[in-house]
Amino acid sequence: MNTIIEVKSLTKKFDGLTAVDNVSFNVETGEIFAFLGPNGAGKSTTIKMLTTLLRPSSGNIIVNGHDPVNHPDAVRRSFGIVFQDPSLDEDLTAWENMEIHGVLYDVPSSTLKQKSEELLKFVDLWSRKDNFVKEFSGGMKRRLEIARGLLHLPKIIFLDEPTLGLDPQTRNHIWAYVRDLNKNAGTTVFFTTHYMEEADKIAQRIAIIDHGKIIAIGTSNDLKKQTNTNSLEDAFLALTGSTIREEAVNPNDRMRKMHKMWRK
Amino acid sequence: MKKIYILWLRQIKKYLRSKSRIVGSLGQPLLFLIALGYGLNSVFQQAGQGSYLNFLSPGIIAMSIIFTSIFSGMEVIWDRQFGFLKETLAAPISRFNIMIGRTLGGATVATMQGIIVMFISLLFGFRPVSWINMIPAIGIMFIIALLFTSLGTMIASLLEDMQGFHLIMNFLVMPIFFFSGAIFPLQGLPKVLVIIVRINPLSYGIDALRILLINVGHYGLGIDTIVLLSVTLIFLWLGSHFFKKIQI
Ligand SMILES: Nc1ncnc2c1ncn2[C@@H]1O[C@H](COP(=O)(O)OP(=O)(O)O)[C@@H](O)[C@H]1O
Ligand SMILES: [Mg+2]
């Protein structure tokens, strides 16, 4: 009973496109596990299937002993998540976003107040707690998403490219916090990234994913050994035949602009 | 319970904060009240039907409610585009409860909007037969609001984005409003229209409001309430059925 996430032959097709292609892996309880892969590799799609937001086209998943398709509510009680895409309510204040999250995740109200304060201070947003999220910069929103995601103490925490767009200092700060959580509370951490050094430094095991397939899985050392290389970057290159491609523009931005015009 | 409450509260906060939305959505009912209420008053009176403004006001109250509630229900689409929907869908709360929280919130907002329009129509000369009856009338307004918020949620669960919004407004919401007896009496209509009006749930809502507010009615308060409540339950069920199927 040491495996907390079990994935067998998982596949997700979006009409015509196979985003996740026959993927199998396990994550052990208390482990820090990473998906490393370029944009469009299928990382977020996999996380969405693990967290009950998307139905798999085929394959089996067990998260904390339950199947997300048939027992979504049981699975939802076991994890916390920081999404890659924005998920804040911009018409509410930072504090209100924390508050809703706390209530939805059954955080007792005294803990909620104290923990929200602690986390907002941690991400340097305490002085802005009563400001509307729509007044925040991209980086501030990202920090708030992370603070909110850490508000309750789940068994598993999913972090989908959590540090995207943050400066290196904030990044280190947040990873230190996540590591502490893993060490002291035994929280299982599942994160995705397309930063080599992040996967290398933080994760105990890494799955390299490209075009919807897991190409290799193991510790950073395993992967280097397997490919006879000296760095994770070279190992990645040897395994996928390419370097990691850079960030594209977020297509949701257009929709957001339209919405703003609509509301005015 | 607390989770449903916090989702309800969210809608109320957002509504009370968007002053432009409150004022903006009063434009249309005001226009109808002034243009039709004053414009057609003399024709209506000559036909021996009494004050048209009195007749029209319950219809206009209902109009503001259905527009606001369909829109509130359809806010699922914005929450999806903005991402907040994910935050609720991944949380340990059943989808049914999320839908209930949202729908109660949207319906409360729509009812508040209806109450504002009711007071505005008083300013323009609307006179209910009994002031006390405004209380059960608000109850009916809330049921109408629940019904159409659920309908909005159902539509939003089936649509990916706001592209279909104008289609829905022009080919569903407008006809529901116009063929409900909101602006004309139900006596002496052509057969086809009678049938259309009779299958339109809003007709029963407006009828109930008229019975309570101006003591003029067609179907009777009992029938109105039964039809309204049953259709509301069906739409709540349909709304949650489709809401449960949303994938992000
Ligand atoms: N809802 C969707 N409909 C259609 N295609 C999608 C959808 N979501 C993701 N995809 C596609 O699936 C592939 C994998 O996407 P994603 O899982 O987001 O990749 P990653 O998170 O690794 O960057 C991409 O080609 C993407 O365009
Ligand atoms: Mg992604």
Side-chain angles (χ1 to χ4, degrees):
Chain A
M1 222 358 245
N2 267 337
T3 304
I4 196 157
I5 301 174
E6 222 180 309
V7 175
K8 276 200 201 100
S9 319
L10 184 64
T11 297
K12 180 70 191 179
K13 291 185 174 142
F14 295 110
D15 31 39
L17 177 111
T18 307
V20 175
D21 193 357
N22 197 21
V23 155
S24 302
F25 63 92
N26 287 345
V27 178
E28 305 305 321
T29 308
E31 187 178 26
I32 304 186
F33 182 87
F35 259 12
L36 173 67
N39 261 313
K43 305 183 294 294
S44 298
T45 306
T46 306
I47 286 203
K48 283 178 186 166
M49 289 188 281
L50 296 177
T51 54
T52 77
L53 296 177
L54 264 183
R55 276 172 166 268
S57 305
S58 64
N60 293 303
I61 307 173
I62 301 288
V63 174
N64 193 38
H66 301 279
D67 169 4
V69 176
N70 297 320
H71 301 283
D73 290 334
V75 171
R76 282 180 202 132
R77 278 190 288 272
S78 68
F79 69 83
I81 180 166
V82 173
F83 296 101
Q84 179 181 352
D85 305 325
S87 65
L88 299 164
D89 189 332
E90 305 216 344
D91 295 329
L92 299 179
T93 64
W95 183 261
E96 287 166 338
N97 270 283
M98 297 295 277
E99 197 178 17
I100 291 186
H101 186 90
V103 171
L104 290 181
Y105 283 86
D106 300 296
V107 180
S109 60
S110 56
T111 321
L112 174 61
K113 287 217 174 71
Q114 181 207 330
K115 197 92 193 282
S116 295
E117 179 172 346
E118 182 191 315
L119 283 161
L120 286 176
K121 282 179 176 158
F122 172 70
V123 296
D124 217 3
L125 287 174
W126 179 243
S127 59
R128 307 292 300 270
K129 71 179 164 66
D130 294 320
N131 287 76
F132 291 118
V133 175
K134 61 185 161 209
E135 296 161 7
F136 284 9
S137 70
M140 290 163 78
K141 287 180 192 164
R142 198 66 201 140
R143 270 146 47 205
L144 178 58
E145 298 247 11
I146 292 170
R148 189 185 64 177
L150 299 171
L151 187 55
H152 67 297
L153 265 186
K155 281 193 181 163
I156 312 166
I157 184 148
F158 291 97
L159 305 165
D160 196 358
E161 312 224 16
T163 56
L164 201 65
L166 294 181
D167 59 87
Q169 202 185 338
T170 315
R171 252 190 239 174
N172 291 337
H173 197 47
I174 285 165
W175 282 122
Y177 189 99
V178 171
R179 273 174 145 163
D180 270 2
L181 207 61
N182 169 261
K183 222 180 185 173
N184 303 329
T187 312
T188 306
V189 180
F190 185 132
F191 74 97
T192 73
T193 183
H194 66 262
Y195 297 123
M196 291 289 168
E197 67 290 357
E198 233 171 53
D200 204 3
K201 272 206 304 211
I202 315 290
Q204 288 150 7
R205 275 192 319 136
I206 302 165
I208 291 183
I209 178 167
D210 197 12
H211 301 295
K213 290 197 175 80
I214 291 185
I215 295 170
I217 195 162
T219 64
S220 178
N221 279 333
D222 291 343
L223 297 173
K224 288 176 217 162
K225 241 181 240 159
Q226 194 184 324
T227 51
N228 258 325
T229 50
N230 292 320
S231 68
L232 187 59
E233 196 145 4
D234 290 338
F236 188 89
L237 185 64
L239 286 163
T240 64
S242 59
T243 49
I244 250 169
R245 301 174 282 276
E246 257 319 306
E247 263 309 275
V249 200
N250 184 349
N252 268 346
D253 285 349
R254 227 188 92 239
M255 199 62 209
R256 257 161 246 281
K257 282 201 190 97
M258 274 176 59
H259 177 75
K260 285 206 174 112
M261 280 164 55
W262 173 278
R263 276 285 184 86
K264 285 283 147 63
Chain B
M1 260 337 262
K2 211 176 160 200
K3 299 184 185 183
I4 294 178
Y5 166 75
I6 198 95
L7 292 176
W8 173 85
L9 188 65
R10 166 177 177 257
Q11 309 261 124
I12 310 298
K13 277 185 180 165
K14 286 169 73 119
Y15 168 74
L16 292 177
R17 277 170 196 173
S18 59
K19 302 281 182 297
S20 63
R21 186 178 148 198
I22 300 178
V23 176
S25 51
L26 291 177
Q28 197 179 14
L30 263 176
L31 200 64
F32 270 76
L33 270 179
I34 297 171
L36 294 182
Y38 289 147
L40 295 177
N41 207 18
S42 60
V43 184
F44 201 73
Q45 259 165 355
Q46 273 161 27
Q49 302 262 19
S51 155
Y52 185 54
L53 193 86
N54 263 352
F55 177 84
L56 183 67
S57 294
I60 300 303
I61 293 168
M63 172 176 96
S64 70
I65 293 172
I66 87 156
F67 279 78
T68 314
S69 36
I70 296 254
F71 191 81
S72 295
M74 287 185 74
E75 274 186 342
V76 170
I77 297 180
W78 289 132
D79 280 345
R80 181 185 200 150
Q81 298 290 350
F82 263 71
F84 183 77
L85 190 63
K86 287 197 292 277
E87 157 77 355
T88 52
L89 294 185
I93 164 175
S94 71
R95 294 227 172 166
F96 181 75
N97 285 354
I98 301 175
M99 193 271 180
I100 293 297
R102 299 186 64 105
T103 307
L104 287 175
T108 307
V109 163
T111 307
M112 294 203 273
Q113 196 76 20
I115 292 171
I116 297 177
V117 172
M118 183 159 75
F119 282 107
I120 289 180
S121 57
L122 290 177
L123 292 180
F124 280 92
F126 170 58
R127 287 294 167 266
V129 283
S130 133
W131 297 102
I132 289 290
N133 278 3
M134 286 169 83
I135 293 162
I138 290 173
I140 296 287
M141 284 155 65
F142 185 69
I143 302 174
I144 300 174
L146 266 182
L147 195 163
F148 287 100
T149 310
S150 315
L151 177 64
T153 306
M154 182 179 118
I155 296 168
S157 307
L158 295 169
L159 294 178
E160 288 274 309
D161 51 38
M162 272 293 180
Q163 304 258 306
F165 183 75
H166 292 286
L167 211 67
I168 301 293
M169 278 298 167
N170 290 325
F171 289 96
L172 185 74
V173 184
M174 283 297 197
I176 287 178
F177 166 63
F178 280 109
F179 298 117
S180 64
I183 51 176
F184 49 76
L186 298 181
Q187 294 89 358
L189 289 179
K191 259 238 165 64
V192 191
L193 267 189
V194 171
I195 295 169
I196 294 178
V197 170
R198 200 167 279 172
I199 56 174
N200 180 354
L202 185 61
S203 313
Y204 300 87
I206 291 175
D207 197 54
L209 288 180
R210 285 216 176 100
I211 292 172
L212 288 166
L213 294 174
I214 60 169
N215 203 15
V216 171
H218 199 75
Y219 305 114
L221 198 54
I223 301 243
D224 288 337
T225 317
I226 291 169
V227 172
L228 268 184
L229 281 175
S230 334
V231 178
T232 303
L233 283 179
I234 294 170
F235 275 67
L236 269 173
W237 182 81
L238 280 174
S240 68
H241 173 78
F242 286 103
F243 187 76
K244 276 181 195 163
K245 297 201 160 173
I246 294 183
Q247 298 195 47
I248 297 283

